């Protein structure tokens, strides 16, 4: 009798403790390279930081999950997600059709944009007050682009009068812009800022266009990758990204590393 | 479509796009071929002048330009020289600013070094006896050079020279690295758009092979003509 009593108490105790303890918090494991500054990298002290890291933490905060970062080499990123080594990819991965065949993506949290860089006060008048390109002012203007970049397609379709020069590397773009072999270059504004405009060599140069964001040509941007058929999680992440966009958090994250925002400032959901 | 048919279609479709660069390839070949030949003759005359002040600089020049990869020469001329403000403000900038100018200059300087050595081989191949005979007939040194040495040296140099012209033609493809859109430049754009390296570069290869064939054939005819007096 006494034994039964003891067991009952013990069982009750276990049950009660179970009820008092909060439900084990959801932990989201997030894969990234950890070496891709300024998006996901370790500081000299070894702290993981960067725009992707901030976004992942921001999302986790809103959906009430713990976040655990997993460092993964780029070429094994998608296989590792599929092998359930982590639940999300936040590694500056562009949303492409090829990748969408294997995995799913959230809405973009960083846009694929191009921006033109030219001489300060160059007076070329390439863009009107509304930020639209003026085709006749592009006639014969020497534009440097990286070989294989998507910007070439945009130029061919929108500004066929421009004189396109194709370069082997991003660095050569800046050199020939300085030499005057090209009048303007079009490149990723983040690269242009980090490698050129923020340096001494770039002192006489500036962005001469708004951010050009043409999904049709440049793709829709960088999203959070997740396994397919996980619509509930995807919905929560998209909801969180909407909040982060609207409350200005994404902009705050970007301004830590760049003097401009790198997301679509209006929340416009895109099909993917 | 079967994969083979698809590849064939891509090969055929890429040809007209690659041929958009044909004109530039030809211009590079002819301009640097002719300028290079003039440079080569100057270098040759310096080499065989008998004066150390003339032959030594020519030897150094030939050593430098034959002893380094042409891609390095192109990069030094295009990227390297542009770094110096003195050059950007000199009259040479008119040529060096343009990738075409840099391309022609690099190819000319390079082929000039090779061709001068080929011509020298031709000159050294002329039989001494013929020159002695010329001297015995009372021809001056200059006349012997123009009327005896030159025609024989040219004939002797043709096979090696035709090789150099072919190799110059192949070298023109390297200018695609300095933004010029020759056939190689266009092929690389088509490749970047289609991700079909095999098809695109196969088409390009066939076009270069045809050009090689034409050059070989032209030199073959030239050699026959130059040798007409020693054939049956």
């Amino acid at each position: 009798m006494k034994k039964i009593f003891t067991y009952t108490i013990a069982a009750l105790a276990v049950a009660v403790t179970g009820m008092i303890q909060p439900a084990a918090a959801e932990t989201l494991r997030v894969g990234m390279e950890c070496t891709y500054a300024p998006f996901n990298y370790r500081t000299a002290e070894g702290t993981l930081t960067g725009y992707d890291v901030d976004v992942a933490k921001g999302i986790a905060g809103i959906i009430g999950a713990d976040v655990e970062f997993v460092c993964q080499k780029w070429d094994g990123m998608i296989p590792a997600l599929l092998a359930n080594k982590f639940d999300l990819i936040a590694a500056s991965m562009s949303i492409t059709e090829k990748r969408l065949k294997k995995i799913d993506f959230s809405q973009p949290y960083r846009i694929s944009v191009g921006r033109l860089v030219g001489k300060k006060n160059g007076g070329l008048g390439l863009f009107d007050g509304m930020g639209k390109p003026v085709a006749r002012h592009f006639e014969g203007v020497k534009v440097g682009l990286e070989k294989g970049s998507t910007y070439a397609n945009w130029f061919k379709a929108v500004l066929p009068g421009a004189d396109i020069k194709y370069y082997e590397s991003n660095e050569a773009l800046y050199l020939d812009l300085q030499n005057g072999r090209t009048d303007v270059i079009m490149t990723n504004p983040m690269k242009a800022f980090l490698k050129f405009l923020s340096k001494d060599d770039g002192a006489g140069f500036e962005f001469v266009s708004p951010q050009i964001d043409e999904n049709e040509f440049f793709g829709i941007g960088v999203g959070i990758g997740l396994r397919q058929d996980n619509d509930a999680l995807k919905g929560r992440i998209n909801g969180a990204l909407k909040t982060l966009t609207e409350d200005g958090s994404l902009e705050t994250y970007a301004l830590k590393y760049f003097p401009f925002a790198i997301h679509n400032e209006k929340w416009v959901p895109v099909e993917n | 479509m079967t994969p083979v048919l698809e590849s064939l279609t891509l090969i055929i479709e890429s040809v007209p796009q690659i041929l958009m660069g044909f004109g530039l390839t030809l211009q590079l070949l002819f301009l640097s071929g002719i300028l290079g030949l003039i440079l080569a003759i100057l270098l040759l005359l310096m080499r065989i002048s008998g004066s150390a002040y003339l032959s030594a600089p020519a030897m150094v020049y030939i050593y430098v330009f034959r002893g380094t990869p042409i891609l390095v020469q192109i990069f030094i001329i295009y990227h390297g020289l542009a770094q110096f403000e003195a050059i950007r403000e000199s009259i040479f900038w008119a040529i060096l600013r343009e990738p075409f100018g840099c391309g022609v200059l690099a190819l000319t300087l390079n082929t000039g070094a090779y061709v001068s050595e080929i011509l020298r081989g031709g000159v050294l191949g002329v039989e001494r006896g013929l020159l002695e005979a010329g001297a015995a007939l009372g021809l001056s040194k200059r006349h012997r050079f123009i009327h005896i040495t030159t025609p024989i040296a040219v004939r002797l140099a043709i096979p090696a020279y035709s090789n150099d012209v072919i190799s110059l033609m192949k070298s023109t493809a390297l200018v695609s690295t300095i933004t010029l859109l020759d056939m190689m430049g266009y092929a690389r754009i088509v490749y970047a758009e289609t991700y079909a390296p095999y098809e695109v570069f196969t088409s390009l290869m066939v076009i270069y092979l045809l050009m090689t064939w034409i050059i070989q054939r032209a030199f073959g005819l030239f050699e026959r003509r130059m040798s007409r007096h020693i054939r049956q």
Side-chain angles (χ1 to χ4, degrees):
Chain A
M1 187 67 200
K2 202 179 168 191
K3 234 180 189 175
I4 292 174
F5 181 74
T6 319
Y7 279 136
T8 315
I9 294 292
L12 269 175
V14 168
V16 169
T17 340
M19 281 194 301
I20 297 169
Q21 262 185 357
E26 177 188 19
T27 300
L28 287 174
R29 294 162 303 160
V30 179
M32 54 179 53
E33 283 179 283
C34 308
T35 53
Y36 189 54
F39 300 105
N40 55 78
Y41 66 105
R42 287 188 193 284
T43 60
E45 293 82 44
T47 326
L48 202 55
T49 184
Y51 183 75
D52 292 332
V53 175
D54 292 341
V55 172
K57 283 182 182 161
I59 292 172
I62 290 172
I63 67 178
D66 287 335
V67 62
E68 183 189 316
F69 293 107
V70 181
C71 297
Q72 168 67 43
K73 279 225 165 82
W74 181 254
D75 49 10
M77 196 67 77
I78 289 177
L81 176 75
L82 297 177
N84 206 6
K85 290 197 176 142
F86 40 79
D87 309 298
L88 302 175
I89 295 175
S92 289
M93 189 177 272
S94 295
I95 304 167
T96 64
E97 274 185 35
K98 210 170 146 194
R99 289 182 182 137
L100 279 168
K101 284 183 185 152
K102 294 253 170 88
I103 63 173
D104 205 352
F105 278 101
S106 72
Q107 291 291 318
Y109 63 89
R110 199 177 104 200
I111 33 173
S112 287
V113 292
R115 213 166 164 189
L116 275 78
V117 178
K119 267 212 180 76
K120 271 184 188 160
N121 308 315
L124 289 168
L126 300 176
F127 288 80
D128 64 16
M130 304 292 290
K132 294 273 169 271
V134 184
R136 70 195 153 83
H137 289 177
F138 271 93
E139 295 290 326
V141 170
K142 288 181 186 154
V143 182
L145 301 178
E146 252 178 286
K147 224 166 241 174
S149 74
T150 46
Y151 307 129
N153 299 333
W154 180 73
F155 266 98
K156 275 186 213 155
V158 180
L159 301 163
D163 180 7
I164 306 283
K165 309 272 177 202
Y166 295 91
Y167 286 86
E168 302 286 309
S169 71
N170 197 250
E171 286 70 21
L173 279 183
Y174 308 129
L175 284 177
D176 272 5
L177 178 64
Q178 281 171 267
N179 295 334
R181 282 194 180 121
T182 51
D183 301 310
V184 290
I185 57 169
M186 186 170 185
T187 183
N188 175 317
M190 289 157 268
K191 276 192 205 166
F193 174 75
L194 292 174
K195 290 188 180 172
F196 183 55
L197 292 173
S198 61
K199 304 270 167 74
D200 289 345
D201 283 347
F205 298 87
E206 62 181 359
F207 286 117
V208 295
S209 78
Q211 294 204 344
I212 299 163
D213 155 25
E214 300 257 3
N215 291 355
E216 187 193 334
F217 296 99
F218 308 156
I220 54 178
V222 162
I224 302 278
L226 66 167
R227 285 183 289 278
Q228 288 175 338
D229 303 320
N230 208 344
D231 287 345
L233 180 60
K234 184 175 159 184
R236 286 158 71 207
I237 291 173
N238 283 341
L241 283 173
K242 182 168 187 283
T243 310
L244 291 174
T245 304
E246 287 170 352
D247 70 7
S249 301
L250 286 185
E251 188 167 352
T252 313
Y253 301 156
L255 293 181
K256 287 201 231 168
Y257 312 100
F258 303 103
F260 43 82
I262 55 178
H263 65 285
N264 201 341
E265 291 174 40
K266 267 192 231 107
W267 178 256
V268 190
V270 286
E271 280 291 313
N272 68 24
Chain B
M1 262 198 297
T2 65
V4 176
L5 202 60
E6 208 170 331
S7 287
L8 274 176
T9 321
L10 259 170
I11 290 177
I12 293 163
E13 278 174 357
S14 61
V15 168
Q17 297 189 64
I18 293 172
L19 284 179
M20 285 162 68
F22 183 67
L24 188 70
T25 297
L26 273 193
Q27 283 177 36
L28 286 164
L29 175 61
F30 275 99
L31 255 178
S32 42
I34 290 165
L35 294 173
L37 187 58
I38 295 170
L39 175 65
I41 293 169
L42 288 176
L43 287 168
L44 167 73
L45 294 176
M46 285 166 79
R47 280 283 262 139
I48 61 173
S49 64
S51 149
Y53 292 108
L54 288 173
S55 68
M59 274 171 77
V60 171
Y61 175 89
I62 291 166
Y63 175 64
V64 170
F65 278 86
R66 287 205 313 174
T68 50
I70 182 154
L71 189 60
V72 175
Q73 295 163 17
I74 290 176
F75 277 19
I76 287 182
I77 290 172
Y78 182 82
H79 293 298
L81 293 182
Q83 297 304 297
F84 298 101
E85 191 148 357
I87 287 179
R88 290 206 302 274
E89 276 160 13
S90 70
I91 47 163
F92 302 114
W93 188 237
I95 292 169
L96 292 174
R97 181 193 165 124
E98 299 303 322
F100 182 74
C102 292
V104 170
L105 183 64
L107 293 170
T108 299
L109 295 179
N110 186 272
T111 191
Y114 278 95
V115 173
S116 82
E117 284 297 277
I118 289 169
L119 296 181
R120 198 169 70 95
V123 169
L124 295 180
V126 178
E127 270 178 66
R128 258 191 100 71
L130 291 170
L131 295 172
E132 282 163 4
L137 286 171
L139 290 177
S140 69
K141 204 178 167 195
R142 213 179 101 219
H143 276 119
R144 271 177 278 155
F145 188 76
I146 295 171
H147 296 292
I148 301 173
T149 308
T150 304
I152 297 172
V154 167
R155 177 169 54 79
L156 293 176
I158 290 171
Y161 181 64
S162 77
N163 268 337
D164 192 77
V165 172
I166 289 167
S167 107
L168 175 64
M169 181 205 72
K170 293 183 292 185
S171 302
T172 59
L174 292 171
V175 302
S176 68
T177 57
I178 53 168
T179 78
L180 281 175
L181 292 177
D182 68 325
M183 294 199 292
M184 182 70 179
Y186 274 104
R188 293 174 67 176
I189 288 180
V190 180
Y191 161 52
E193 283 166 359
T194 58
Y195 298 109
Y198 171 72
E199 290 81 355
V200 174
F201 292 122
T202 304
S203 314
L204 181 63
M205 206 169 97
V206 171
I207 299 170
Y208 277 123
L209 282 174
L210 277 173
M211 286 180 71
T212 301
W213 183 78
I214 292 169
I215 293 172
Q216 272 177 346
R217 189 99 185 103
F219 275 102
L221 292 173
F222 183 49
E223 194 182 351
R224 264 167 76 117
R225 191 179 150 71
M226 292 299 285
S227 318
R228 61 196 185 280
H229 55 281
I230 52 169
R231 289 169 59 243
Q232 304 292 333

PDB file of all heavy atoms in Angstrom, chain B residues 204-226:
ATOM      1  N   LEU B 204      33.815  28.177 -82.792  1.00  0.00           N
ATOM      2  CA  LEU B 204      34.928  29.111 -82.883  1.00  0.00           C
ATOM      3  C   LEU B 204      36.158  28.414 -83.454  1.00  0.00           C
ATOM      4  O   LEU B 204      36.869  28.945 -84.315  1.00  0.00           O
ATOM      5  CB  LEU B 204      35.221  29.669 -81.487  1.00  0.00           C
ATOM      6  CG  LEU B 204      36.346  30.685 -81.374  1.00  0.00           C
ATOM      7  CD1 LEU B 204      36.011  31.934 -82.169  1.00  0.00           C
ATOM      8  CD2 LEU B 204      36.593  31.047 -79.918  1.00  0.00           C
ATOM      9  N   MET B 205      36.374  27.189 -82.999  1.00  0.00           N
ATOM     10  CA  MET B 205      37.534  26.432 -83.450  1.00  0.00           C
ATOM     11  C   MET B 205      37.478  26.212 -84.954  1.00  0.00           C
ATOM     12  O   MET B 205      38.485  26.363 -85.652  1.00  0.00           O
ATOM     13  CB  MET B 205      37.536  25.091 -82.723  1.00  0.00           C
ATOM     14  CG  MET B 205      38.870  24.463 -82.579  1.00  0.00           C
ATOM     15  SD  MET B 205      38.749  23.074 -81.449  1.00  0.00           S
ATOM     16  CE  MET B 205      38.577  21.769 -82.616  1.00  0.00           C
ATOM     17  N   VAL B 206      36.285  25.865 -85.437  1.00  0.00           N
ATOM     18  CA  VAL B 206      36.146  25.598 -86.868  1.00  0.00           C
ATOM     19  C   VAL B 206      36.471  26.857 -87.674  1.00  0.00           C
ATOM     20  O   VAL B 206      37.156  26.797 -88.700  1.00  0.00           O
ATOM     21  CB  VAL B 206      34.717  25.087 -87.174  1.00  0.00           C
ATOM     22  CG1 VAL B 206      34.482  25.017 -88.668  1.00  0.00           C
ATOM     23  CG2 VAL B 206      34.509  23.717 -86.531  1.00  0.00           C
ATOM     24  N   ILE B 207      36.021  28.010 -87.175  1.00  0.00           N
ATOM     25  CA  ILE B 207      36.289  29.257 -87.902  1.00  0.00           C
ATOM     26  C   ILE B 207      37.795  29.537 -87.930  1.00  0.00           C
ATOM     27  O   ILE B 207      38.356  29.884 -88.977  1.00  0.00           O
ATOM     28  CB  ILE B 207      35.532  30.436 -87.256  1.00  0.00           C
ATOM     29  CG1 ILE B 207      34.026  30.168 -87.310  1.00  0.00           C
ATOM     30  CG2 ILE B 207      35.855  31.738 -87.982  1.00  0.00           C
ATOM     31  CD1 ILE B 207      33.202  31.149 -86.504  1.00  0.00           C
ATOM     32  N   TYR B 208      38.463  29.372 -86.799  1.00  0.00           N
ATOM     33  CA  TYR B 208      39.916  29.596 -86.770  1.00  0.00           C
ATOM     34  C   TYR B 208      40.634  28.617 -87.705  1.00  0.00           C
ATOM     35  O   TYR B 208      41.593  28.973 -88.384  1.00  0.00           O
ATOM     36  CB  TYR B 208      40.460  29.466 -85.342  1.00  0.00           C
ATOM     37  CG  TYR B 208      40.301  30.724 -84.511  1.00  0.00           C
ATOM     38  CD1 TYR B 208      39.605  30.689 -83.309  1.00  0.00           C
ATOM     39  CD2 TYR B 208      40.850  31.938 -84.916  1.00  0.00           C
ATOM     40  CE1 TYR B 208      39.457  31.842 -82.532  1.00  0.00           C
ATOM     41  CE2 TYR B 208      40.700  33.088 -84.149  1.00  0.00           C
ATOM     42  CZ  TYR B 208      40.006  33.032 -82.958  1.00  0.00           C
ATOM     43  OH  TYR B 208      39.859  34.158 -82.196  1.00  0.00           O
ATOM     44  N   LEU B 209      40.164  27.369 -87.726  1.00  0.00           N
ATOM     45  CA  LEU B 209      40.799  26.379 -88.604  1.00  0.00           C
ATOM     46  C   LEU B 209      40.677  26.781 -90.064  1.00  0.00           C
ATOM     47  O   LEU B 209      41.618  26.635 -90.844  1.00  0.00           O
ATOM     48  CB  LEU B 209      40.183  24.993 -88.387  1.00  0.00           C
ATOM     49  CG  LEU B 209      40.667  24.252 -87.145  1.00  0.00           C
ATOM     50  CD1 LEU B 209      39.887  22.965 -86.953  1.00  0.00           C
ATOM     51  CD2 LEU B 209      42.157  23.954 -87.255  1.00  0.00           C
ATOM     52  N   LEU B 210      39.499  27.315 -90.420  1.00  0.00           N
ATOM     53  CA  LEU B 210      39.316  27.773 -91.800  1.00  0.00           C
ATOM     54  C   LEU B 210      40.280  28.911 -92.123  1.00  0.00           C
ATOM     55  O   LEU B 210      40.882  28.951 -93.200  1.00  0.00           O
ATOM     56  CB  LEU B 210      37.874  28.258 -92.007  1.00  0.00           C
ATOM     57  CG  LEU B 210      36.847  27.171 -92.306  1.00  0.00           C
ATOM     58  CD1 LEU B 210      35.443  27.763 -92.322  1.00  0.00           C
ATOM     59  CD2 LEU B 210      37.174  26.533 -93.668  1.00  0.00           C
ATOM     60  N   MET B 211      40.438  29.826 -91.173  1.00  0.00           N
ATOM     61  CA  MET B 211      41.358  30.935 -91.400  1.00  0.00           C
ATOM     62  C   MET B 211      42.789  30.428 -91.551  1.00  0.00           C
ATOM     63  O   MET B 211      43.549  30.886 -92.411  1.00  0.00           O
ATOM     64  CB  MET B 211      41.287  31.935 -90.233  1.00  0.00           C
ATOM     65  CG  MET B 211      40.024  32.768 -90.249  1.00  0.00           C
ATOM     66  SD  MET B 211      39.975  33.937 -88.877  1.00  0.00           S
ATOM     67  CE  MET B 211      41.231  35.113 -89.377  1.00  0.00           C
ATOM     68  N   THR B 212      43.164  29.463 -90.724  1.00  0.00           N
ATOM     69  CA  THR B 212      44.502  28.885 -90.816  1.00  0.00           C
ATOM     70  C   THR B 212      44.715  28.275 -92.195  1.00  0.00           C
ATOM     71  O   THR B 212      45.757  28.447 -92.819  1.00  0.00           O
ATOM     72  CB  THR B 212      44.684  27.789 -89.740  1.00  0.00           C
ATOM     73  OG1 THR B 212      44.474  28.394 -88.474  1.00  0.00           O
ATOM     74  CG2 THR B 212      46.058  27.176 -89.799  1.00  0.00           C
ATOM     75  N   TRP B 213      43.693  27.588 -92.656  1.00  0.00           N
ATOM     76  CA  TRP B 213      43.798  26.922 -93.966  1.00  0.00           C
ATOM     77  C   TRP B 213      44.035  27.972 -95.057  1.00  0.00           C
ATOM     78  O   TRP B 213      44.877  27.803 -95.933  1.00  0.00           O
ATOM     79  CB  TRP B 213      42.511  26.118 -94.236  1.00  0.00           C
ATOM     80  CG  TRP B 213      42.569  25.351 -95.510  1.00  0.00           C
ATOM     81  CD1 TRP B 213      43.222  24.166 -95.707  1.00  0.00           C
ATOM     82  CD2 TRP B 213      41.996  25.720 -96.760  1.00  0.00           C
ATOM     83  NE1 TRP B 213      43.085  23.764 -97.008  1.00  0.00           N
ATOM     84  CE2 TRP B 213      42.340  24.704 -97.683  1.00  0.00           C
ATOM     85  CE3 TRP B 213      41.228  26.800 -97.196  1.00  0.00           C
ATOM     86  CZ2 TRP B 213      41.933  24.735 -99.013  1.00  0.00           C
ATOM     87  CZ3 TRP B 213      40.830  26.843 -98.517  1.00  0.00           C
ATOM     88  CH2 TRP B 213      41.182  25.818 -99.408  1.00  0.00           C
ATOM     89  N   ILE B 214      43.289  29.078 -94.977  1.00  0.00           N
ATOM     90  CA  ILE B 214      43.438  30.128 -95.998  1.00  0.00           C
ATOM     91  C   ILE B 214      44.852  30.718 -95.944  1.00  0.00           C
ATOM     92  O   ILE B 214      45.496  30.921 -96.977  1.00  0.00           O
ATOM     93  CB  ILE B 214      42.365  31.223 -95.794  1.00  0.00           C
ATOM     94  CG1 ILE B 214      40.980  30.640 -96.116  1.00  0.00           C
ATOM     95  CG2 ILE B 214      42.652  32.441 -96.674  1.00  0.00           C
ATOM     96  CD1 ILE B 214      39.827  31.524 -95.696  1.00  0.00           C
ATOM     97  N   ILE B 215      45.340  30.968 -94.745  1.00  0.00           N
ATOM     98  CA  ILE B 215      46.684  31.547 -94.614  1.00  0.00           C
ATOM     99  C   ILE B 215      47.739  30.583 -95.172  1.00  0.00           C
ATOM    100  O   ILE B 215      48.625  30.972 -95.936  1.00  0.00           O
ATOM    101  CB  ILE B 215      46.982  31.871 -93.131  1.00  0.00           C
ATOM    102  CG1 ILE B 215      46.058  32.999 -92.649  1.00  0.00           C
ATOM    103  CG2 ILE B 215      48.443  32.278 -92.941  1.00  0.00           C
ATOM    104  CD1 ILE B 215      46.146  33.265 -91.156  1.00  0.00           C
ATOM    105  N   GLN B 216      47.600  29.309 -94.797  1.00  0.00           N
ATOM    106  CA  GLN B 216      48.565  28.310 -95.285  1.00  0.00           C
ATOM    107  C   GLN B 216      48.576  28.251 -96.803  1.00  0.00           C
ATOM    108  O   GLN B 216      49.612  28.203 -97.451  1.00  0.00           O
ATOM    109  CB  GLN B 216      48.193  26.925 -94.740  1.00  0.00           C
ATOM    110  CG  GLN B 216      48.800  26.641 -93.400  1.00  0.00           C
ATOM    111  CD  GLN B 216      48.362  25.288 -92.862  1.00  0.00           C
ATOM    112  OE1 GLN B 216      47.406  24.680 -93.367  1.00  0.00           O
ATOM    113  NE2 GLN B 216      49.045  24.823 -91.843  1.00  0.00           N
ATOM    114  N   ARG B 217      47.366  28.264 -97.359  1.00  0.00           N
ATOM    115  CA  ARG B 217      47.199  28.153 -98.806  1.00  0.00           C
ATOM    116  C   ARG B 217      47.834  29.372 -99.495  1.00  0.00           C
ATOM    117  O   ARG B 217      48.568  29.243-100.467  1.00  0.00           O
ATOM    118  CB  ARG B 217      45.686  28.094 -99.063  1.00  0.00           C
ATOM    119  CG  ARG B 217      45.266  27.776-100.436  1.00  0.00           C
ATOM    120  CD  ARG B 217      44.896  26.307-100.603  1.00  0.00           C
ATOM    121  NE  ARG B 217      44.626  26.133-102.032  1.00  0.00           N
ATOM    122  CZ  ARG B 217      45.475  25.557-102.870  1.00  0.00           C
ATOM    123  NH1 ARG B 217      46.594  25.039-102.435  1.00  0.00           N
ATOM    124  NH2 ARG B 217      45.186  25.477-104.154  1.00  0.00           N
ATOM    125  N   ALA B 218      47.569  30.555 -98.933  1.00  0.00           N
ATOM    126  CA  ALA B 218      48.106  31.777 -99.525  1.00  0.00           C
ATOM    127  C   ALA B 218      49.633  31.744 -99.505  1.00  0.00           C
ATOM    128  O   ALA B 218      50.291  32.060-100.516  1.00  0.00           O
ATOM    129  CB  ALA B 218      47.593  32.995 -98.757  1.00  0.00           C
ATOM    130  N   PHE B 219      50.203  31.341 -98.406  1.00  0.00           N
ATOM    131  CA  PHE B 219      51.660  31.292 -98.327  1.00  0.00           C
ATOM    132  C   PHE B 219      52.230  30.198 -99.215  1.00  0.00           C
ATOM    133  O   PHE B 219      53.325  30.335 -99.760  1.00  0.00           O
ATOM    134  CB  PHE B 219      52.121  31.124 -96.877  1.00  0.00           C
ATOM    135  CG  PHE B 219      52.203  32.439 -96.151  1.00  0.00           C
ATOM    136  CD1 PHE B 219      51.222  32.827 -95.261  1.00  0.00           C
ATOM    137  CD2 PHE B 219      53.267  33.303 -96.393  1.00  0.00           C
ATOM    138  CE1 PHE B 219      51.293  34.046 -94.608  1.00  0.00           C
ATOM    139  CE2 PHE B 219      53.341  34.525 -95.748  1.00  0.00           C
ATOM    140  CZ  PHE B 219      52.362  34.891 -94.853  1.00  0.00           C
ATOM    141  N   GLY B 220      51.466  29.096 -99.349  1.00  0.00           N
ATOM    142  CA  GLY B 220      51.903  28.027-100.244  1.00  0.00           C
ATOM    143  C   GLY B 220      52.063  28.554-101.671  1.00  0.00           C
ATOM    144  O   GLY B 220      53.073  28.304-102.345  1.00  0.00           O
ATOM    145  N   LEU B 221      51.057  29.332-102.114  1.00  0.00           N
ATOM    146  CA  LEU B 221      51.108  29.897-103.468  1.00  0.00           C
ATOM    147  C   LEU B 221      52.269  30.879-103.602  1.00  0.00           C
ATOM    148  O   LEU B 221      52.983  30.887-104.609  1.00  0.00           O
ATOM    149  CB  LEU B 221      49.782  30.608-103.790  1.00  0.00           C
ATOM    150  CG  LEU B 221      48.568  29.690-103.936  1.00  0.00           C
ATOM    151  CD1 LEU B 221      47.287  30.502-104.085  1.00  0.00           C
ATOM    152  CD2 LEU B 221      48.761  28.772-105.156  1.00  0.00           C
ATOM    153  N   PHE B 222      52.453  31.698-102.568  1.00  0.00           N
ATOM    154  CA  PHE B 222      53.521  32.687-102.568  1.00  0.00           C
ATOM    155  C   PHE B 222      54.891  31.996-102.658  1.00  0.00           C
ATOM    156  O   PHE B 222      55.775  32.388-103.424  1.00  0.00           O
ATOM    157  CB  PHE B 222      53.405  33.529-101.287  1.00  0.00           C
ATOM    158  CG  PHE B 222      54.406  34.635-101.175  1.00  0.00           C
ATOM    159  CD1 PHE B 222      54.624  35.522-102.233  1.00  0.00           C
ATOM    160  CD2 PHE B 222      55.125  34.817-100.000  1.00  0.00           C
ATOM    161  CE1 PHE B 222      55.540  36.550-102.108  1.00  0.00           C
ATOM    162  CE2 PHE B 222      56.041  35.848 -99.883  1.00  0.00           C
ATOM    163  CZ  PHE B 222      56.251  36.711-100.938  1.00  0.00           C
ATOM    164  N   GLU B 223      55.026  30.922-101.898  1.00  0.00           N
ATOM    165  CA  GLU B 223      56.296  30.202-101.898  1.00  0.00           C
ATOM    166  C   GLU B 223      56.579  29.599-103.270  1.00  0.00           C
ATOM    167  O   GLU B 223      57.700  29.640-103.772  1.00  0.00           O
ATOM    168  CB  GLU B 223      56.254  29.109-100.823  1.00  0.00           C
ATOM    169  CG  GLU B 223      57.639  28.535-100.526  1.00  0.00           C
ATOM    170  CD  GLU B 223      57.610  27.430 -99.494  1.00  0.00           C
ATOM    171  OE1 GLU B 223      56.548  27.200 -98.872  1.00  0.00           O
ATOM    172  OE2 GLU B 223      58.658  26.786 -99.316  1.00  0.00           O
ATOM    173  N   ARG B 224      55.521  29.036-103.895  1.00  0.00           N
ATOM    174  CA  ARG B 224      55.687  28.477-105.249  1.00  0.00           C
ATOM    175  C   ARG B 224      56.176  29.536-106.214  1.00  0.00           C
ATOM    176  O   ARG B 224      57.058  29.309-107.032  1.00  0.00           O
ATOM    177  CB  ARG B 224      54.326  27.964-105.753  1.00  0.00           C
ATOM    178  CG  ARG B 224      54.121  26.489-105.525  1.00  0.00           C
ATOM    179  CD  ARG B 224      52.686  26.178-105.759  1.00  0.00           C
ATOM    180  NE  ARG B 224      52.395  26.152-107.198  1.00  0.00           N
ATOM    181  CZ  ARG B 224      51.983  25.057-107.825  1.00  0.00           C
ATOM    182  NH1 ARG B 224      51.804  23.944-107.153  1.00  0.00           N
ATOM    183  NH2 ARG B 224      51.733  25.087-109.108  1.00  0.00           N
ATOM    184  N   ARG B 225      55.569  30.731-106.087  1.00  0.00           N
ATOM    185  CA  ARG B 225      55.920  31.800-106.997  1.00  0.00           C
ATOM    186  C   ARG B 225      57.366  32.214-106.776  1.00  0.00           C
ATOM    187  O   ARG B 225      58.128  32.412-107.742  1.00  0.00           O
ATOM    188  CB  ARG B 225      54.970  32.974-106.776  1.00  0.00           C
ATOM    189  CG  ARG B 225      55.097  34.008-107.858  1.00  0.00           C
ATOM    190  CD  ARG B 225      54.176  35.177-107.722  1.00  0.00           C
ATOM    191  NE  ARG B 225      54.833  36.333-108.311  1.00  0.00           N
ATOM    192  CZ  ARG B 225      55.039  36.499-109.614  1.00  0.00           C
ATOM    193  NH1 ARG B 225      54.598  35.613-110.474  1.00  0.00           N
ATOM    194  NH2 ARG B 225      55.662  37.571-110.078  1.00  0.00           N
ATOM    195  N   MET B 226      57.749  32.347-105.485  1.00  0.00           N
ATOM    196  CA  MET B 226      59.112  32.781-105.192  1.00  0.00           C
ATOM    197  C   MET B 226      60.142  31.734-105.584  1.00  0.00           C
ATOM    198  O   MET B 226      61.319  32.026-105.745  1.00  0.00           O
ATOM    199  CB  MET B 226      59.258  33.077-103.680  1.00  0.00           C
ATOM    200  CG  MET B 226      58.478  34.283-103.202  1.00  0.00           C
ATOM    201  SD  MET B 226      58.994  35.801-104.011  1.00  0.00           S
ATOM    202  CE  MET B 226      60.547  36.118-103.187  1.00  0.00           C
TER     203      MET B 226
END
